[in-house]
Amino acid sequence: MIPMRHKRFDKMECPIARSLERVGEWWTILILRDALLGTTRFDEFQKSLEIAPNILTRRLRAMEEAGLLQRRRYSERPPRDEYILTRRGRDFSPVLLALLAWGNKHFAPEGESVSLVDARTGLTAVPAMYDAVSGRPITMRDFQFRPGPAANERIHRRYGAPKRERETK
Amino acid sequence: MIPMRHKRFDKMECPIARSLERVGEWWTILILRDALLGTTRFDEFQKSLEIAPNILTRRLRAMEEAGLLQRRRYSERPPRDEYILTRRGRDFSPVLLALLAWGNKHFAPEGESVSLVDARTGLTAVPAMYDAVSGRPITMRDFQFRPGPAANERIHRRYGAPKRERETK
DNA sequence: CAGTATCCTGTCCGATACTG
DNA sequence: CAGTATCGGACAGGATACTG
């Protein structure tokens, strides 16, 4: 039902691939961005994104089916809907923050066009990944991907044992 | 030169849109994922991703031109190249971590298939966004997007003033 | 092993016109 | 205002065969 470009990604079972499957197309991410900023109405999205209305309709529908947005009727006559982020949609914000940080660092030679600022201090924030359990910043040296409880054979091949352990056998 | 589906995204000047522009297509992200895990060779990528070789070639080329990978000749005859992550490519890892966390939380009803674990303790990590400046977790309540020094008119319209300030006028 | 060369298909997207 | 309907184009991606 949901138009998915690459069903293969879901088959991979990798959570990253699965996320990509759900986020679907590029517009989806920008729609999520606007929704996080408080946009809820069709024409607000359309003006902000300069997206063709038929495309916006299609994306909005797909996002509703994917559980990222919930449509809510705010007027019965005439029938008017608005699009509210679900929990799942709001939980996408770390991805947006990471994309923002990456873009600002690498593709803004003339300076940042959008910054994330601390509302209390007004200082420009530097979003980074930490492990909420240990409190330490995540680096690929200190942390590693490992097969989880639901891992299948493919996952075990890809993420299987870290190299140092493998060498012992 | 780089095949870009939506030049419009770059025009937007939004750092998120720009990042999407560079990351380009879905395969790109999965290639980055594998590269982060240590994959460097053409056939390793191909086997891991089950991607058609011509597509892989195309992606690898585009990613080299986008500065995500650097091609390095490791054998002169026969000529053999390997693909090494650049700094820019490695800096993409927070996005992958955020996608991993989102996928694990929302699209793994049967349990996690891939987990991030703390190499020291072996505990499953919970990747989250913090502000490296203030040390506080980033929420949309405590932090907000604001136009940066290089913001253009469009950005000001979108990220302009926060709502509460606007209400005072 | 590490790709290149062709041909083809899917579908995301854009433009435009129209409607309750 | 909030969409729907239709048509067309571009390009990522797939399949396959071939090469140094």
Side-chain angles (χ1 to χ4, degrees), chain A residues 49-64:
Chain A
L49 299 168
E50 298 185 60
I51 183 177
N54 52 345
I55 302 305
L56 180 56
T57 298
R58 196 191 293 172
R59 287 294 102 228
L60 255 17
R61 288 278 184 287
M63 290 169 72
E64 190 189 6

Side-chain angles (χ1 to χ4, degrees), chain B residues 18-92:
Chain B
R18 283 195 173 175
S19 292
L20 294 178
E21 190 76 59
R22 303 320 172 107
V23 132
E25 290 75 35
W26 299 128
W27 281 128
T28 304
I29 296 182
L30 295 181
I31 291 170
L32 284 173
R33 177 201 64 184
D34 279 5
L36 249 336
L37 288 169
T39 302
T40 58
R41 305 234 177 133
F42 191 91
D43 76 310
E44 290 179 317
F45 285 115
Q46 206 199 330
K47 279 204 281 278
S48 166
L49 299 168
E50 298 185 60
I51 183 176
N54 53 343
I55 303 304
L56 181 56
T57 298
R58 198 191 289 172
R59 288 294 102 228
L60 255 16
R61 288 280 184 286
M63 291 170 72
E64 190 188 4
E65 290 182 39
L68 302 176
L69 295 175
Q70 177 146 20
R71 190 194 302 221
R72 204 171 61 187
R73 180 140 300 186
Y74 67 91
S75 157
E76 281 301 338
R77 93 197 145 285
R80 292 288 178 271
D81 294 327
E82 60 184 354
Y83 301 88
I84 310 294
L85 276 178
T86 61
R87 178 69 188 277
R88 179 179 290 180
R90 278 194 316 269
D91 282 348
F92 191 73

Side-chain angles (χ1 to χ4, degrees), chain A residues 131-151:
Chain A
D131 170 23
V133 174
S134 68
R136 289 187 300 143
I138 295 178
T139 67
M140 286 327 214
R141 259 176 246 289
D142 297 340
F143 293 82
Q144 37 187 244
F145 296 124
R146 296 307 312 277

Side-chain angles (χ1 to χ4, degrees), chain A residues 106-119:
Chain A
H106 288 284
F107 308 113
E110 70 300 331
E112 295 189 4
S113 56
V114 180
S115 306
L116 185 75
V117 304
D118 187 325

Side-chain angles (χ1 to χ4, degrees), chain A residues 3-102:
Chain A
M4 296 198 198
R5 186 89 161 254
H6 307 290
K7 298 198 171 39
R8 317 182 65 242
F9 286 3
D10 233 32
K11 258 180 34 198
M12 286 181 185
E13 299 247 344
C14 165
I16 294 173
R18 283 195 172 174
S19 292
L20 294 178
E21 191 77 57
R22 302 320 171 107
V23 132
E25 291 74 36
W26 299 128
W27 280 128
T28 305
I29 295 181
L30 296 180
I31 290 170
L32 285 173
R33 176 200 65 184
D34 279 6
L36 250 335
L37 288 168
T39 302
T40 58
R41 305 234 177 133
F42 192 91
D43 75 312
E44 291 179 315
F45 285 115
Q46 206 200 330
K47 278 203 281 279
S48 165
L49 299 168
E50 298 185 60
I51 183 177
N54 52 345
I55 302 305
L56 180 56
T57 298
R58 196 191 293 172
R59 287 294 102 228
L60 255 17
R61 288 278 184 287
M63 290 169 72
E64 190 189 6
E65 290 181 40
L68 303 177
L69 296 175
Q70 178 145 20
R71 189 194 302 224
R72 203 171 61 188
R73 179 141 299 187
Y74 68 90
S75 159
E76 280 302 339
R77 94 196 142 284
R80 292 286 179 270
D81 294 327
E82 59 186 353
Y83 301 87
I84 309 294
L85 275 178
T86 59
R87 178 70 189 278
R88 180 179 289 182
R90 278 194 317 266
D91 282 347
F92 192 72
S93 66
V95 181
L96 291 173
L97 290 170
L99 285 168
L100 176 90
W102 193 61

